[in-house]
Amino acid sequence: MSGIFKAYDIRGIYGQDLTEDIAYAIGKAYITFTGAKKVVLGRDCRPHSIPLQAALARGITELGADVIDIGLCSTPMNYYANGSLGAEGSIMITASHNPAEWNGFKLCRASAVPISGATGIADIEKIVAEGAYAPVAATPGTITTHDILPAYREHIKPYMNFGRRPKLAIDYANGMGIPEAETFKDAIDQTALFGDIDGAFPNHEANPLHHATLVDLQKTVREGQYDFGVAFDGDADRAGFIDEKGDIIPMDLITALIAQDVLSREKGVIYYDLRSSRVVKEVIEAAGGTPMMSRVGHAFIKSQMREHKAIFAGELSGHYYFRDNYVAESSSMAVIALCNIVTRAGKPLSELIAPLRKYWCSGEINTTVSRDPQEILAEIKTKYADSNVFELDGVSVENPTWWFNVRCSNTEPLVRLNLESTASLEEMEAKRDEVLAIIRS
């Protein structure tokens, strides 16, 4: 069972790693740990999300806490419900982009503050392992149902500032992008791909990070006249974007564009994850914002956003975080921001992106290593000691015309490299190979 308690959530194969009995225990442990009296529960479309939610609710209410059941929803809708309903916590039943046999829980405190491995998941695991639950309440908690979509739709509507009616192709991957997109669907023209909810994900993996999943969307865009294409992941807390020519847009460049839209209304701090192209920082500064670099991972980013009162943050994996959605993801707000820009710019998305494709990036390169990853990081620090070296997340090395970051996986013997040159493709390739030689030695 210990393998299901991850760095950012609880996740495993249903019926094998994650059962109703374990969900019931986690419900009790969650209340024991947080002391919450009112908890929002929402779920994705996997068939087993229903019994897992029921088991969670049984554990929660047994210890006297009330449950607000918002039913089928996206993860951003779950975060919004947590904050707007004044709950003291929330749990989203989902395994995000994982295959259909997986499931899991994303846990939050009040105001959608995430619970990570370092801030509570390990404690909840310990409570479950030891059976050290709070006493059963004399009066059990109640379960009430609530439709959060109307309020979420009204919450999103003011951010629409379209110059004309957008036309989008949207790949829902049969997942929770379907309820998420209810917020803007009346304001756009769309062609929907895989727009029927189906927790078996019969058409393709719901993961826009894998370019193979975008092939159908690219074909649709190329055959029609669209402003751009959108691809949601399974629980719709991430989105990938395709320009009007059908070309995939790197997610850090989407962060830069959304930052422009956000900063057109209000100046302030914008976070970008440290793997992002340096053009992101340049765009934020040019738009009058204050760029700040963040660690990778939603729990870290949300904490840093709160600490520095940031208005927006973007992550290379396609998470887009908005202060105005309780410092949490809202894929629909990201889509709307792009619609704002494209419909008011008088030029297509590919032309807006073109000036941002100015540097040469390696992309994230993952290497399975046979020696201690920490030894590799130490060797890199020694090799590049004359450069600007910092350790916000792994090891980052900065030079006048090139930089890189090397990080270790939390769960696997993997080392991840991102490298960029502002000078030339040749420099990027030479430095990439130089660093990879150290990693793979």
Side-chain angles (χ1 to χ4, degrees), residues 243 249 253 256-257 260 277-280 282-283 347-360 420:
D243 71 18
I249 304 173
L253 303 190
L257 281 186
Q260 288 179 324
S277 170
R278 290 301 176 260
V279 78
V280 178
E282 295 168 6
V283 167
K347 57 177 71 172
L349 183 53
S350 62
E351 288 186 26
L352 297 171
I353 286 289
L356 308 183
R357 297 183 186 267
K358 59 193 288 192
Y359 301 139
W360 292 266
E420 180 177 65

Side-chain angles (χ1 to χ4, degrees), residues 156-208:
I156 297 295
K157 190 181 295 182
Y159 298 94
M160 296 182 192
N161 187 26
F162 303 164
R164 57 173 171 76
R165 191 174 177 88
K167 184 179 180 184
L168 309 182
I170 304 178
D171 186 340
Y172 292 104
N174 304 107
M176 293 298 93
I178 297 167
E180 176 72 17
E182 287 287 326
T183 56
F184 59 77
K185 77 170 190 179
D186 292 341
I188 67 165
D189 295 329
Q190 70 160 311
T191 296
L193 284 74
F194 315 125
D196 298 319
I197 290 176
D198 188 338
F201 305 109
N203 293 290
H204 64 73
E205 181 186 22
N207 186 1

Side-chain angles (χ1 to χ4, degrees), residues 69 117 130 205 303 367 387 432:
D69 175 8
E130 296 176 354
E205 181 186 22
S303 174
T367 300
S387 306
R432 175 199 65 196

